[in-house]
Amino acid sequence: MTAPMGRRLRTGVTAIAAVSALALTATACGTDGTSSKGSEGSGKGTITFWDNNGGVRTDIWKQIIAKFEKKYPDIKVKYVGVAAADVQSKYDTAIAGGKGLPDVGGVGAAMLASLVAQNALAPVTDRIDSSSLKGKLDASMVKNVESAGGSADELYSVPTSANMGILWYRTDLFKAAGLEAPTTYDKFYAAATKLTDKKKNEFGFTFRGGAGSIAQALDMMYGQSGIDSFWNGDTTTVNDPKNVAALEKYVALYNKVTPEADLNNDFVKMVAEFDNGKIGMVQHNLGSYQNHLDALGKDKFAGVAMPTDASGVRTTVSNPVDGLGLFKNSTNKEAAWKFIEFAVSAAQNSAWNESAGAIPSNTEAQDDAWIASAGATKTGLDALTDSNTKIVQLPYYLPDWGTLSKSEVEPDFQKVVLGKETAKAFLDMFAGKLNAAQADWKKHNS
């Protein structure tokens, strides 16, 4: 990554309403006792780190912290595990209270816009450029984080890992039915039909109609339409006629080759159906690999990257890139940065991603042996770097993206699934909200 020219920080961003609650004073920024608020500090003392997927990734983070403290005995890391579902509100609460933020925190791209808008994060591009990480971060992940932060030439977190859309399938069921892996959309739809026998409670696909349904619907839409950009100027392509047709075909799967109960499926229910029943395929990402492995064993399932079109071109929407943010109010940024640099070094980044089954951001870690034997992770990495893969960058930089793509439109999506609203009317409504959010963002960031 080369040093950016003409860098400009975001200013005048529309304020985001923060959660009203008590500040997390117990996890305030670390200090060495000699530093003032927001300073570089001495590079020694205690820093606080919030893990944004506490519980799930606690063990691997504690291993990394132990190695870090061995290398830097003058720095202690206070680990705080925060559940993924709670981390955004925890950050907002601490910001609203004016205290309690960590020195370093896990910051996924989906929440980056909110934290940047609230002026909570320090830019890290110059730090990367003068560190051992220079030139070693995956270019596509850097682009994702830049976009999510709302700047084409500034990073507000250091990418650590990427997910990838995966079509998981039951290899045992496919083999029994004489089916090939669902590597194209034609093969996917054919398999979904052939593997369905409602009388035997067997289904070709499990559908996500509840929480989190929009991201997966977008992946199916853009994957089939082949449209490779979310915007045409400042107007979204989400309601392009090709996307409308793709959504119509996707929702037509419901209750024909899927269980009727799928209307309310969230991640947990959808994965449980696939792992515990006779369902041929499920669309998710690398994050559910361990669930499938625990339930089915390695010989009964596999994952392919999202299907290609007939010409072999794959179009997929971006998955939020996870990362580590350096918080602006840290009183010991020097020590905090040492921790970030260490955690994203090739060895530690590799260990973390092996534990998570995700794609490492450190390009040196991408060559490690475990990836070649990890099946779906290798598939995801290959797809991510394939010249025939087109990635549609979702607008994570919009402060309203989270609510727009979830609570505001999910109920209407269910109406489409049930045939109570047309795909066109739904996507026109969604596009109107997106265009308005884009216009507001541009107004305050021009």
Side-chain angles (χ1 to χ4, degrees), residues 106-119:
V107 177
M111 73 178 75
L112 193 57
S114 171
L115 295 177
V116 172
Q118 296 179 86
N119 201 31

Side-chain angles (χ1 to χ4, degrees), residues 396-412:
Y396 301 117
Y397 62 86
L398 293 177
D400 296 332
W401 171 249
T403 54
L404 270 179
S405 61
K406 294 179 181 178
S407 58
E408 286 198 26
V409 297
E410 283 177 350
D412 288 276

Side-chain angles (χ1 to χ4, degrees), residues 59-97:
D59 288 346
I60 186 62
W61 271 122
K62 288 192 172 181
Q63 293 174 33
I64 292 171
I65 289 169
K67 293 176 182 177
F68 173 77
E69 291 180 339
K70 183 177 181 180
K71 181 175 181 178
Y72 296 100
D74 291 331
I75 305 174
K76 300 300 178 185
V77 180
K78 182 176 181 179
Y79 171 88
V80 178
V82 183
D86 299 331
V87 69
Q88 179 71 69
S89 63
K90 297 290 189 184
Y91 283 137
D92 289 340
T93 296
I95 293 168

Side-chain angles (χ1 to χ4, degrees), residues 114-137:
S114 171
L115 295 177
V116 172
Q118 296 179 86
N119 201 31
L121 294 170
V124 293
T125 305
D126 284 341
R127 294 179 190 271
I128 293 171
D129 286 347
S130 59
S131 78
S132 61
L133 299 178
K134 182 179 181 179
K136 296 180 181 179
L137 297 177

Side-chain angles (χ1 to χ4, degrees), residues 14 21 72 88 94 117 119 158 208 270 275-276 333 354 384 419:
T14 303
Y72 296 100
Q88 179 71 69
N119 201 31
V158 181
R208 189 169 187 171
M270 179 181 68
D275 289 344
N276 301 318
K333 289 189 179 69
E354 182 177 11
L384 190 68

Side-chain angles (χ1 to χ4, degrees), residues 339-350:
F339 177 65
I340 293 174
E341 185 178 9
F342 180 84
V344 191
S345 64
Q348 307 313 318
N349 189 238
S350 179

Side-chain angles (χ1 to χ4, degrees), residues 100-111:
L101 282 170
D103 299 276
V104 178
V107 177
M111 73 178 75

Side-chain angles (χ1 to χ4, degrees), residues 214-227:
I214 302 304
Q216 292 188 317
L218 289 171
D219 221 356
M220 278 289 187
M221 285 164 46
Y222 281 93
Q224 294 176 84
S225 73
I227 297 169

